[in-house]
Amino acid sequence: VRALGSRIKGTNGQSQGVIPFLKVVNDTAVAVNQGGKRKGAVCAYLETWHLDIEEFLELRKNTGDERRRTHDMNTANWIPDLFMQRVIAGAEWTLFSPVDTPDLHDKAGAEFKAAYEAYEAKAAAGQLKLHKKIPAVQLWRKMLTMLFETGHPWITFKDACNLRSPQQHVGVVHGSNLCTEITLNTSDSETAVCNLGSVNLLRHLKDGELDREKLARTVSTALRMLDNVVDINFYATPKARNANLRHRPVGMGIMGFADCLYQLGIPYASPQAVEFADRSMEAVCYQAYWASTELAKERGRYSSFTGSLWDQGILPHESIRLIEEGRGEAVDLNREARLDWAALKDRIARYGMRNSNCVAIAPTATISNIVGVSASIEPAYQNLYVKSNLSGEFTVVNEALVRDLKALALWDEVMVADLKYFDGSLARIDRVPDELKARYATAFEIDPVWLIEAAARRQKWIDQAQSLNLYLALPSGKKLDEIYKLAWKRGLKTTYYLRTLGASQAEKASGRDDSVVPDEAPKFCAIDNPTCEACQ
C-alpha cells in the first residue's frame, strides 16, 4: 500500500497511506469472533523502509487520534539486514513509498541492498520526490521504545527468513504469522497455510537422555498425521488450498522444554541448557526431515520440490552460510552437528521431500496446560499462578518444584503461603537452597540473553522459525538494544512478545497468621487437584 501523501494518478489526489486500511482490518477482527467463542486475531507486518513506518510504530499507543490507532490487532516490524547494519554503523536510513519502489518487497539479501541503494541514489538526484532520510539509530530507538510501551510492533528479520527459506526458488516470505513461527511464501495466488503439531519432549527423556527411538516413532507418526491434514482439511479460499496442496508445509514443534531441564537438574540460565536446546532440536528436526523423506518415498514428493534448497542439497543448518553471504559478514553461531546428516542428504537426493517445510515451534499455552507440561520453549512464567481464558480460571502449579521441595521436607503450609506472597518466585524465600532457586528461576528472573542463545541453537536446525517471547523485569533502553541486536547477530528469524512486569502490584494479605508453622506438613493436594477446597 502506497504511503501517506503519494499521488494517485486517477484522481490527482493523495493517498491516505497504510494506517486507514489497518484500521479497517482491526475493526473486522473485532467483528469476526467465531460467534463469541474466540476473539479474532490479526497481525500486520510492515517493512522498515516504508514511509509510513513511524506512524505504524504508534498504532497501539493509548494516546493520539483514535482513528489512527488499532488496539485490537498485533503489529510487527519486517526488518532487512541492511537496516540493522546501518544502525550499528550509525548511518542514515531512507524511507520510501512502495509506489516508487515496487520491487523492494520482493527482494532480500544482496539483491535488496543493491536495489535499495539505487533508489537512494535516485532520491539524492531528485528523481524521487516522496522520501525521507533519518538516522537509522533514531528509528531503531523508536522501535524499541514502542515495543516497551505497547508490546508492539514485534521485531522480525526479513532476510534471515528469506535467505534460509527452502522455497525461495518459487516465492518470497513477506511476513510471518500471528505467533511469528511460520515463514512461508505469499503472493497474489497463494495464501500461506501451515498445519502445526507439538511433541511433548518430557515424555521422551529416559535416564537423563533423549530416547531417540521413541522420538523417531512419535515424530514419524505426527508427520504422517499432519501430511494427512493437508489433504482432508477445509480451505476457506482457493488461494489457501492452492498453496497448501502445492507445497504441503507442516510445522512440528515441541513443548515441555523447561520440564526437561527440571528433570535433568539444569537451570535455564546456563550453558548446559543452551547445549540441551541444541541437542534436542537437532534430534527433533532430523527425525522430522527423515519422516518427510519416508512419506515422499511412499506418497511422492511435493510438487514444487525441484529447485528448492532440499533439492540443491542444502539442509537447514547449512543455509546459515546464505545469511552470511547476504550480509557480507559472519554469523557467530556454534555449527556443531552430532547426527548423520549426510545419510539424510542422500535420502533426500534419492526420494525428495513430501513437505516443503517440516518444523516450526509454536506457542502451546492451552494444550500444554491440558497435557500438564510447560509451554513450548518457555521458561516457567511463575511457579504458582492463576491462568484465565474463556473457559474460566485455573490454578497452575510447578509440579517438579513441589516434588523437589517435598524431597527436602520443605513443602509445608508456610512454603505455600510464601509462594503465594512472592508470586511463585523462590528468590526471596531464605530456606530454599540456592541450587533450587537457580533451577526454578522464573521467566523474569532469567537474563533474556540466555533465551536468545538457546533459541539461536534451535534456529540452526529449524526450516521455519520459533515463537520466542522475551522477558524483562527491569527494562532499559541499553538492555533492549543489546538483546535485539544479539538476536539479529545470532541469525534468529523472529521474536514474539516483549513481556515486562507492571510498575506496581496489589498489596497481599491473609486472614490468618501465616508465620505459624504446623507440627507436621499439611496434606496439600493442590498439585494434583486444583479444585480442592482445602487447598484453595
Side-chain angles (χ1 to χ4, degrees), residues 65-197:
D65 185 354
E66 280 298 303
R67 292 169 297 182
R68 303 186 76 80
R69 296 289 179 265
T70 58
H71 300 298
D72 303 287
M73 67 179 287
N74 303 295
T75 57
N77 288 301
W78 195 234
I79 302 174
D81 286 344
L82 183 60
F83 174 75
M84 295 302 299
Q85 290 172 326
R86 292 201 180 178
V87 169
I88 293 168
E92 290 209 312
W93 184 249
T94 311
L95 306 179
F96 297 106
S97 173
V99 72
D100 299 320
T101 59
D103 57 336
L104 290 184
H105 283 296
D106 295 324
K107 293 184 182 297
E111 285 188 2
F112 173 86
K113 180 181 179 181
Y116 182 83
E117 290 177 343
Y119 285 123
E120 283 189 310
K122 275 189 171 184
Q127 297 174 27
L128 293 180
K129 293 184 179 179
L130 195 63
H131 69 278
K132 179 180 179 182
K133 289 186 77 71
I134 59 173
V137 170
Q138 178 182 318
L139 184 57
W140 176 245
R141 284 175 179 162
K142 186 167 184 178
M143 286 179 175
L144 298 182
T145 300
M146 289 298 102
L147 190 63
F148 169 61
E149 285 186 11
T150 70
H152 294 84
W154 304 325
I155 303 292
T156 61
F157 301 109
K158 171 187 180 178
D159 288 337
C161 292
N162 275 283
L163 297 178
R164 293 191 64 194
S165 169
Q167 291 296 98
Q168 57 192 269
H169 66 303
V170 288
V172 179
V173 183
H174 290 110
S176 185
N177 66 321
L178 181 66
C179 305
T180 74
E181 83 277 10
I182 303 304
T183 54
L184 299 175
N185 298 342
T186 54
S187 69
D188 56 359
S189 62
E190 292 186 352
T191 300
V193 182
C194 197
N195 314 304
L196 301 174

Side-chain angles (χ1 to χ4, degrees), residues 282-301:
E282 180 181 10
V284 170
C285 290
Y286 185 88
Q287 299 301 341
Y289 304 147
W290 191 280
S292 190
T293 68
E294 294 281 5
L295 288 171
K297 179 182 177 182
E298 177 186 332
R299 300 175 172 179
R301 59 186 62 180

Side-chain angles (χ1 to χ4, degrees), residues 81-82 85 108-111 113 159 163 320-331 488:
D81 286 344
L82 183 60
Q85 290 172 326
E111 285 188 2
K113 180 181 179 181
D159 288 337
L163 297 178
I320 296 169
R321 67 175 172 81
L322 301 179
I323 300 183
E324 294 177 323
E325 291 170 7
R327 292 181 182 177
E329 59 184 86
V331 174
W488 176 74

Side-chain angles (χ1 to χ4, degrees), residues 18-27 30 42 44 55-63 65-75 150 152:
V18 168
I19 308 303
F21 288 95
L22 292 181
K23 180 66 173 174
V24 172
V25 174
N26 177 84
D27 295 344
V30 174
V42 176
E55 266 204 285
F56 179 79
L57 297 178
E58 298 181 345
L59 280 172
R60 293 293 298 258
K61 285 186 72 171
N62 290 320
T63 57
D65 185 354
E66 280 298 303
R67 292 169 297 182
R68 303 186 76 80
R69 296 289 179 265
T70 58
H71 300 298
D72 303 287
M73 67 179 287
N74 303 295
T75 57
T150 70
H152 294 84

